[in-house]
Every structure is written in C-alpha cells, then in structure tokens.
C-alpha cells in the first residue's frame, strides 16, 4: 500500500522544526530514523499532512557523559551508536539492551529517542529508561522541558509531546553508588517484537541496594512501570530470599494477555524467571568480584 500524500520538510535547525510543527496545527510528524514512521505511513496507520525530516540537524547526533555522570543521548543517535559505544560502562541496562533492539538493519538507521517517542508497548528502550529513571527533553515555542519517561509514555503509541514540540534529547541520571543491571528479552526470532522483556537497574552501596528500578515490555497494552514492586529490594542485599520476593512482586505487576505468542500465565512466568535470572547474575558477579 502507498502512503497518503504529504508535504516534506527538511529543516536545518531545531527552531525551524518547531516553527513548522507550530504552523501544522497537529498535522505533522517528525522523522528521524523513519524505521517506525515509514511502515505506519505505508499501512496508512498514520496519514500526516507534513513529514518533518530532522536528519539535516547534525548537532542532534551525539551521546555523551557529562562531568557529573549524566548520560545524554541526542535525537539522531542511532541504535547502532549505542550498541558499539565505549562509554556505557556505568549503564549496564542500556548496554545489554542495545544489541537486542530490532535487527541489525533497523539498528543502523533507527534512533533511540525516536523509539521512545513511538511508545510501542513492546519497545525495548522505553523499558530500560523507565527502569533507569530517565527523562525526555522536549523543546517547543516556550522553550525546553524535561519529562520523566514513566510519564512520557502515555499508552500504546501515545506520548506526552505537544503537537508543536520535538524531543531533542534523552537523559539518564548518574547512579548514586555502583550501577548494576540487566536486560533480557524473549523473542520468537531475531528482530521480532518481545513476547516478554524485563529491564532492571540497581544502585548499590557495598552489598546494599539503595535504588531499584524495573520495567516490562510485551506483557501489557503499554510499557509496564514496575519500579514500585522491585523497590522491595531497597535496603537489602541480593540473596535467594530477596530475589524471590522481588521476582514475584514484579511478575504480579505484569498485565499479559493470551495471544499467538503464548498464554498470559506463560508470559507472567517468563517475567518472574527473567527478574530472577538478572538479579541472580548480578549477585553472582558481585560475589566473584569481592
């Protein structure tokens, strides 16, 4: 199927993007990597009057760590950039997810921020960012504002951007203590959407968990924020009892439905298994390092 007719804009600055969006009255879509937008246009799930291509704004193509340890990811940072990045040592949750996003072809063009904006319930990056307490920086006619990713993803394919705002950056705060974490994903084949996936991010001081974050993809009509359930780990060390308690609490927060990928009970079991595996791997690695 061919897309509906649309006008095409290729601005050279963020300010120009915002002006075009503001004039559109909500009838424009921003394109970065296009790996989500183009299929939606071809299937006519989206029929914008204008497509605004931001690839002509090279200053948005970066990922870097500030002196205070904050990770900043620009709107044109590709999945592949993060997959082969050498600076994600303090962000193991992101590092483990990077090679599991879609397939190698998509990762060469698709963007981190664009994936967050797409708000797919089976998307990998939304889960990692919610677990990490990450934020999106939105810029519009009134300037910039920061939005917690847990508040940015409103539902399936719906985000919190106003029609005249563009997401210019993602922010991941530094860990308070040692950063530990992991990401596991069950997919039927390479590049498939998640049947179930789990992102876990911990801050630890010695052997005590000081912050615990978790989010789930593929087991609900939205990315599941499981930060509250996994907070049972805070103030504790990782052992068989605390790991079991956390895994059961997170699994209870999942909202899976039976479909061609599996039964709801099977998907909930996968969530519990993945949480157990991630936390057990962390505990074992820390014991070996001690």
């Amino acid at each position: 199927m061919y897309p509906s007719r649309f006008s095409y804009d290729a601005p050279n600055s963020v300010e120009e993007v915002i002006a075009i969006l503001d004039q559109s009255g909500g009838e424009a879509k921003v394109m970065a990597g296009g790996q989500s937008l183009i299929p939606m246009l071809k299937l006519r799930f989206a029929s914008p009057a204008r497509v605004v291509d931001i690839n002509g704004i090279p200053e948005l193509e970066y990922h870097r760590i500030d002196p205070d340890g904050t990770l900043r990811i620009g709107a044109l940072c590709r999945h592949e950039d993060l997959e082969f990045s050498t600076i994600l040592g303090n962000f193991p949750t992101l590092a483990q997810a990077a090679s599991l996003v879609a397939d190698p072809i998509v990762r060469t063009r698709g963007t981190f921020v664009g994936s967050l904006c797409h708000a797919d319930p089976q998307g990998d990056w939304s889960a990692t960012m919610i677990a990490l307490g990450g934020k999106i920086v939105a810029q519009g006619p009134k300037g910039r504002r920061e939005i917690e990713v847990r508040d940015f993803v409103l539902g399936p394919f719906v985000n919190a951007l106003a029609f005249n705002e563009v997401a210019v950056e993602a922010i991941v705060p530094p860990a308070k203590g040692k950063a530990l974490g992991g990401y596991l994903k069950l997919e039927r084949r390479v590049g498939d959407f998640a049947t179930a996936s789990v992102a876990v991010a911990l801050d630890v001081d010695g052997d005590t968990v000081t912050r615990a974050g978790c989010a789930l993809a593929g087991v609900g009509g939205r990315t599941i924020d499981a930060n509250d359930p996994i907070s049972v780990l805070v103030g504790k060390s990782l052992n068989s009892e605390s790991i079991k308690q956390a895994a059961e609490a997170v699994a209870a927060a999942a909202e899976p439905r039976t479909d061609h990928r599996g039964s709801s009970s099977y998907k909930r079991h996968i969530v519990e298994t993945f949480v157990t595996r991630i936390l057990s791997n962390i505990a074992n690695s820390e014991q070996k390092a001690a």
Side-chain angles (χ1 to χ4, degrees):
M1 186 181 295
Y2 291 100
S4 300
R5 290 180 178 273
F6 57 84
S7 62
Y8 173 81
D9 297 281
N12 295 310
S13 69
V14 172
E15 291 73 22
E16 190 178 349
V17 173
I18 294 167
I20 293 169
L21 295 176
D22 199 37
Q23 294 166 7
S24 75
E27 294 299 318
K29 288 282 188 182
V30 173
M31 182 174 71
Q35 301 303 297
S36 299
L37 179 60
I38 290 174
M40 292 184 72
L41 293 174
K42 291 178 70 175
L43 294 170
R44 299 202 179 187
F45 291 157
S47 299
R50 304 176 78 168
V51 170
V52 186
D53 185 345
I54 64 171
N55 283 278
I57 312 176
E59 59 264 34
L60 296 178
E61 190 171 350
Y62 63 87
H63 68 290
R64 64 174 184 265
I65 297 179
D66 289 348
D68 68 353
T70 299
L71 174 65
R72 296 183 180 273
I73 302 173
L76 288 178
C77 177
R78 316 289 171 180
H79 307 308
E80 184 181 63
D81 297 333
L82 297 174
E83 181 181 5
F84 297 106
S85 176
T86 60
I87 67 170
L88 295 185
N90 288 331
F91 302 92
T93 308
L94 290 177
Q96 290 188 26
S99 63
L100 299 177
V101 175
D103 57 51
I105 295 174
V106 169
R107 291 199 295 272
T108 63
R109 291 300 301 167
T111 63
F112 182 89
V113 172
S115 178
L116 294 175
C117 292
H118 187 51
D120 191 318
Q122 295 171 305
D124 302 288
W125 290 132
S126 292
T128 63
M129 286 292 279
I130 290 173
L132 287 160
K135 300 177 181 179
I136 283 287
V137 178
Q139 186 170 336
K142 296 182 180 180
R144 292 191 172 199
R145 63 182 179 121
E146 295 182 1
I147 310 166
E148 297 274 354
V149 175
R150 66 192 302 180
D151 299 322
F152 181 75
V153 179
L154 301 180
F157 310 106
V158 180
N159 64 49
L161 289 174
F163 75 90
N164 55 2
E165 288 183 314
V166 59
V168 294
E169 185 180 62
I171 299 174
V172 184
K176 296 179 180 178
K178 186 175 182 179
L180 301 171
Y183 185 78
L184 288 174
K185 175 181 180 179
L186 177 65
E187 52 189 348
R188 296 176 300 175
R189 59 185 180 277
V190 173
D192 193 16
F193 291 105
T195 297
S197 67
V198 175
V200 172
L202 306 179
D203 294 354
V204 299
D205 183 4
D207 64 353
T208 302
V209 177
T210 57
R211 179 195 175 274
C214 182
L216 316 174
V219 288
R222 55 189 170 82
T223 307
I224 304 293
D225 181 346
N227 282 320
D228 289 342
I230 206 169
S231 67
V232 298
L233 289 174
V234 175
K236 302 175 182 177
S237 60
L238 292 180
N239 53 50
S240 57
E241 182 179 347
S242 64
I243 290 172
K244 183 175 185 293
Q245 184 182 10
E248 290 176 348
V250 171
E255 301 173 2
R257 294 183 179 181
T258 297
D259 58 19
H260 63 287
R261 298 175 187 272
S263 67
S264 60
S265 59
Y266 169 70
K267 294 177 184 178
R268 195 180 300 276
H269 173 70
I270 292 300
V271 170
E272 184 172 344
T273 300
F274 278 1
V275 175
T276 301
R277 188 175 300 171
I278 291 170
L279 294 176
S280 297
N281 288 341
I282 291 172
N284 291 337
S285 296
E286 289 301 288
Q287 287 176 1
K288 291 179 181 178

